[in-house]
Amino acid sequence: MNGRRGDCASPLPTLLGRAIGMFALDYDRARGRDRSVPQLGTWANLLRVLDADGTDQRELVRRTVISRRVAKVVVTRLERLGRVAVDKQAVEGTRGKTNLVRLTASGEAGTAAAAARVDTVQADWRERFGNDAVDRLRDALSTVVDRLPVELPHHPAGYGAADPSVTGGDYVPENPGPPRIPAHGQDWPVVLREPGSDTRHLPLPALLSQVLAAFAIDYEREQFGSLPAASNFLRFVGDDGVTLGSAQALGGVVGNGKSLHERHLDVAVEPGRPRDMSRRVFLTPKGRRVRDAYPQLVKEIEDRWNEQYATAMPPMRSTLMSMNERFDADLRDYPSTTGWILRPWLG
């Protein structure tokens, strides 16, 4: 069972991930031929928080809860595109300087266009799925998000341009709290959620993203790699392997030893000519452990969530399942956490 069709066996992260993917696809469709619009992730995880007079890049990281390394990459790319300007500003009381990030005129126009398209897609979803269904989903998602101990990104974000994990590992060990602070890399900002926060006003994709990120954090704390890697690729590779062409499409395996799953020793690629896409790709013992653990681990997390978020989980799952039946069939089970980083502006 691959969980792609919205049946009762579909894992919760698959339902969440496909909903985000469908919203992003509808967002892209809504722009039509307008190439002056940013990626949904770029707007959600960076542009929407910039102040009119500019924002300190360190504060930008905290507002969006993306890693410092991701912020650096995206800001640099947007500056090259002329969508933001970066000015050096002296830090009061020190000899150091910080980056002040502000929108250019084209950046302002693109940011406004992105916000309008998000509103358009949300209205379209109400027409397509019904107000009751959208309201049930929003209420369920916000119930979970309001109880999360830390803020999370408003669009799926990797720890780095080549690291799909949410928090970047366990360089800083988990603090069980309360509040529980997940293990994280040194570049991931810890932003505690304000007591009594109310997230019902947030756009639907922001709610979906935070719930999916919370699930991914619970998955990744069990030391079975990143949830995106297992969701989109490893769990679909049988003991007889897959062709390099399939592995490339599903998991970005190149066959030169340098791609993510090769470097992490998840897979082994059959020797042969570099361009031979019929070569077999097999899971290593490590890869098989991740694949075999996935179904039970995801079920255990969802069972815990059923207890922790008892009133929210049934309507969330049932509504997502109903919507998923009408989503495009070829959506990825976990949306890309790095695509918007590598290509922040549509065009």
Side-chain angles (χ1 to χ4, degrees):
M1 174 61 64
N2 63 18
R4 291 180 183 269
R5 297 304 304 169
D7 56 272
C8 61
S10 294
L12 180 62
T14 291
L15 296 172
L16 292 164
R18 284 175 54 79
I20 297 171
M22 191 70 247
F23 196 99
L25 183 59
D26 287 340
Y27 171 92
D28 289 347
R29 289 169 174 166
R31 69 183 170 91
R33 297 184 178 181
D34 186 353
R35 302 296 178 177
S36 64
V37 183
Q39 293 270 20
L40 177 60
T42 308
W43 172 78
N45 284 345
L46 195 145
L47 297 176
R48 67 175 178 84
V49 305
L50 293 180
D51 296 325
D53 297 328
T55 304
D56 187 319
Q57 190 161 323
R58 295 169 300 182
E59 176 61 20
L60 184 155
V61 167
R62 288 187 55 80
R63 290 183 185 182
T64 60
V65 204
I66 57 175
S67 72
R68 287 190 292 270
R69 63 185 63 184
V70 166
K72 182 178 180 180
V73 169
V74 178
V75 168
T76 297
R77 292 177 183 237
L78 290 175
E79 185 181 21
R80 289 174 183 168
L81 292 169
R83 311 301 184 177
V84 303
V86 180
D87 304 314
K88 293 290 185 181
Q89 185 180 62
V91 178
E92 186 177 354
T94 74
R95 296 182 179 179
K97 292 185 176 181
T98 187
N99 288 335
L100 192 68
V101 184
R102 60 179 176 81
L103 292 169
T104 63
S106 66
E108 287 181 359
T111 300
R117 279 157 179 75
V118 169
D119 289 342
T120 295
V121 177
Q122 291 192 122
D124 289 346
W125 274 41
R126 286 189 173 276
E127 184 174 343
R128 188 190 319 176
F129 301 113
N131 284 325
D132 289 345
V134 172
D135 287 341
R136 278 197 308 274
L137 180 59
R138 288 185 59 87
D139 287 346
L141 293 169
S142 62
T143 296
V144 174
V145 174
D146 284 340
R147 294 178 57 186
L148 297 177
V150 295
E151 297 283 352
L152 295 169
H154 285 203
H155 186 82
Y159 181 68
D163 183 349
S165 66
V166 177
T167 64
D170 57 1
Y171 179 86
V172 179
E174 177 182 315
N175 181 344
R180 178 165 74 90
I181 308 300
H184 57 276
Q186 58 184 333
D187 281 346
W188 193 74
V190 175
V191 183
L192 295 178
R193 190 172 297 278
E194 292 290 335
S197 65
D198 185 350
T199 59
R200 285 176 294 180
H201 67 285
L202 292 178
L204 181 58
L207 295 171
L208 288 163
S209 174
Q210 290 182 84
V211 174
L212 179 59
F215 198 101
I217 287 172
D218 282 359
Y219 179 94
E220 289 163 12
R221 77 190 296 221
E222 303 297 333
Q223 302 295 312
F224 280 95
S226 73
L227 182 56
S231 294
N232 287 336
F233 176 50
L234 297 177
R235 69 187 180 113
F236 299 116
V237 182
D239 289 342
D240 56 348
V242 295
T243 65
L244 178 56
S246 295
Q248 192 171 96
L250 288 172
V253 177
V254 177
N256 61 3
K258 297 180 180 180
S259 60
L260 179 69
H261 289 294
E262 294 172 271
R263 288 188 287 104
H264 287 192
L265 304 180
D266 296 327
V267 301
V269 183
E270 187 177 41
R273 297 189 309 276
R275 295 185 180 181
D276 182 1
M277 293 293 105
S278 66
R279 287 188 287 159
R280 304 296 292 179
V281 177
F282 300 94
L283 294 183
T284 63
K286 174 189 173 185
R288 289 196 297 272
R289 285 196 298 272
V290 173
R291 177 198 65 191
D292 295 344
Y294 174 88
Q296 183 60 30
L297 181 52
V298 168
K299 181 180 182 303
E300 289 176 1
I301 295 170
E302 186 166 349
D303 286 345
R304 292 200 298 269
W305 278 35
N306 281 328
E307 296 181 5
Q308 188 174 357
Y309 309 112
T311 60
M313 289 293 285
M316 184 191 305
R317 168 171 273 284
S318 62
T319 306
L320 285 170
M321 283 175 56
S322 176
M323 288 180 169
N324 188 42
E325 293 175 355
R326 300 170 64 182
F327 291 162
D328 287 17
D330 57 352
L331 291 170
R332 293 166 66 87
D333 285 357
Y334 201 108
S336 173
T337 61
T338 58
W340 67 273
I341 299 171
L342 299 172
R343 183 169 170 254
W345 209 271
L346 297 169

